[in-house]
């Protein structure tokens, strides 16, 4: 991702079916976090890992069964960085994932049928 972004000057997600058009810095940040598991943003002096350790505000996490880009295990690992924050975790599933196929048109219709509204 980071290399392709640097080559094009942006991430042409529409060509690859992921992420839409995105800035180079954002894709470099995503790629670094995916490789290392640590948050560090280009051009920022903030130590986000330490900031997460010190976070005490309530944390709401949301995950959806079948999400291949951010599975529950990834959400849990990220939330674990905020050890002192009280966490409310919501994990959404469909009752029968093998036979239920949401329609491919109408965003609100999909959200309603999947129980996401």
């Amino acid at each position: 991702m980071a290399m392709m972004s640097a080559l094009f000057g942006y991430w042409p997600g529409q060509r690859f079916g992921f992420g839409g058009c995105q800035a180079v810095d954002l894709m470099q940040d995503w790629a670094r976090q995916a490789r290392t598991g640590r948050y560090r943003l280009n051009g920022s002096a903030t130590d986000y890992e330490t900031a997460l350790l010190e976070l005490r505000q309530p944390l709401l996490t949301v995950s959806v069964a079948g999400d291949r880009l951010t599975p529950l295990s990834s959400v849990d690992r990220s939330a674990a960085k905020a050890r002192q924050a009280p966490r409310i975790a919501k994990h959404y599933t469909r009752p029968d994932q093998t036979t239920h196929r949401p329609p491919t048109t109408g965003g609100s219709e999909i959200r309603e049928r999947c129980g996401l509204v």
Side-chain angles (χ1 to χ4, degrees):
M1 287 188 297
M3 191 164 40
M4 293 299 288
S5 297
L7 178 67
F8 286 104
Y10 68 99
W11 172 252
Q14 67 282 5
R15 292 184 183 186
F16 302 107
F18 170 73
C21 183
Q22 301 295 336
V24 172
D25 281 348
L26 174 66
M27 297 311 291
Q28 289 173 344
D29 292 340
W30 280 0
R32 182 184 313 103
Q33 201 251 325
R35 283 191 317 271
T36 67
R38 297 184 53 80
Y39 294 109
R40 188 175 66 79
L41 303 181
N42 283 347
S44 176
T46 301
D47 182 345
Y48 293 98
E49 296 293 321
T50 299
L52 284 167
L53 285 171
E54 296 171 356
L55 184 68
R56 287 178 167 70
Q57 292 178 305
L59 180 64
L60 170 64
T61 61
V62 178
S63 55
V64 179
D67 184 344
R68 295 177 311 193
L69 297 177
T70 312
L72 179 57
S73 59
S74 293
V75 174
D76 288 342
R77 271 193 304 276
S78 294
K81 292 174 180 265
R83 295 179 189 145
Q84 299 182 57
R87 180 181 177 198
I88 298 169
K90 299 289 184 181
H91 182 70
Y92 293 94
T93 62
R94 291 191 304 234
D96 183 356
Q97 294 179 345
T98 57
T99 59
H100 179 76
R101 299 271 185 221
T104 57
T105 60
S108 64
E109 205 174 17
I110 293 171
R111 287 188 301 273
E112 288 170 21
R113 289 196 182 178
C114 293
L116 299 176
V117 178

